[in-house]
Amino acid sequence: MAGNKAHKLVVLDRDGTLNADDVSIIASPEDWHPLPGALEAVAKLNQAGWHVVIATNQSGLGRGLFDMATMNAVHAKMHKALAQAGARVDAVFFCPHTRDDACECRKPAPGLFRSIAARFGLPAENLVVAGNTVRHVAAGDAVGAATHLLLTGKCAAYTPHTPPEGLPMRTAIHTDLAAFVDGLLEAETPSERA
C-alpha cells in the first residue's frame, strides 16, 4: 500500500452486507450468494481508489460447524464473484471464537478493527465502517471510525426513523451497500477522488 490511497479504507461486514444472510449460518460455498448490487458497489469503491476489507464473526469455526478449509472455500467463491464484477476485497479478517470465549476480536469488541488499522498502517479512526448489524457498527464506533448501518440482512426490517436499539448515535443509515457507496463517493471532494 503506497501513497495516500491506503488511507481510503472501507471495512464491511460479510453476511447480510455483501451476501445474503437467509440461512442460519454460511457453512459451505453453496450457502454464499451475493446480494443484488453488492459486488458492483464494491467495484465502484475500488474504481474510486478505495480499499475494501471484510471483518466478520465466524463462530461456526469455534463451534465446529465448519472448518478452515470450508471457510476458505466460501471466501474463494466470494473473491471469484467479486473479480467477475470487476471488484476486489484486499483482505478478510475474521473472529473464529464463540461468545463464551470472551476474546477481543469478536464484534462488538474492536480487536478486528485495530488489527485492520495496524495491517494497513493508518489510525483506526480513519476507517470507514459499514455493515448490517449493530455489533459491526459498534465495533467501528469503539475505535472512532465513521460508521454506517445498512438496512439489509438482519436489519432489513428497520428504517432510518426506527433504527435498531443500541445503534451508536453518529451512525449514518443507508438502504443497502450500493446506497452507502453512492453517498460516500458523493461526499468526497474532487481532490480526494482517485
Side-chain angles (χ1 to χ4, degrees):
M1 304 287 145
N4 63 4
K5 290 188 181 216
H7 296 287
K8 293 172 63 166
L9 181 63
V10 172
V11 182
L12 299 177
D13 200 356
R14 192 190 78 178
D15 303 335
T17 294
L18 194 60
N19 56 276
D21 197 10
D22 52 5
V23 292
S24 60
I25 193 162
I26 308 294
S28 74
E30 292 72 35
D31 295 335
W32 192 91
H33 304 284
L35 286 170
L39 304 182
E40 294 78 9
V42 173
K44 282 178 82 169
L45 281 173
N46 296 153
Q47 290 159 10
W50 285 84
H51 293 274
V52 179
V53 170
I54 302 289
T56 179
N57 287 349
Q58 292 298 320
S59 66
L61 282 168
R63 292 185 282 155
L65 301 177
F66 54 86
D67 58 16
M68 278 295 298
T70 302
M71 189 181 74
N72 288 339
V74 169
H75 290 153
K77 180 179 180 181
M78 177 187 78
H79 287 298
K80 183 177 180 183
L82 284 159
Q84 289 170 340
R88 182 185 142 177
V89 164
D90 290 41
V92 178
F93 286 70
F94 65 93
C95 169
H97 305 113
T98 68
R99 191 172 286 128
D100 297 335
D101 291 329
C103 64
E104 280 300 309
C105 55
R106 181 177 167 83
K107 300 178 290 183
L112 287 180
F113 294 88
R114 289 194 181 116
S115 296
I116 290 165
R119 167 88 67 87
F120 285 84
L122 72 164
E125 61 268 20
N126 286 16
L127 301 174
V128 177
V129 172
N132 73 305
T133 63
V134 170
R135 68 179 175 228
H136 183 80
V137 171
D141 186 66
V143 298
T147 52
H148 301 264
L149 180 74
L150 311 181
L151 300 178
T152 55
K154 290 180 173 60
C155 279
Y158 295 99
T159 73
H161 305 295
T162 57
E165 193 175 323
L167 187 69
M169 289 294 293
R170 58 191 185 90
T171 302
I173 300 176
H174 310 272
T175 54
D176 58 15
L177 186 56
F180 156 70
V181 169
D182 288 345
L184 182 67
L185 299 184
E186 283 172 19
E188 283 190 299
T189 63
S191 65
E192 291 174 318
R193 293 190 183 121

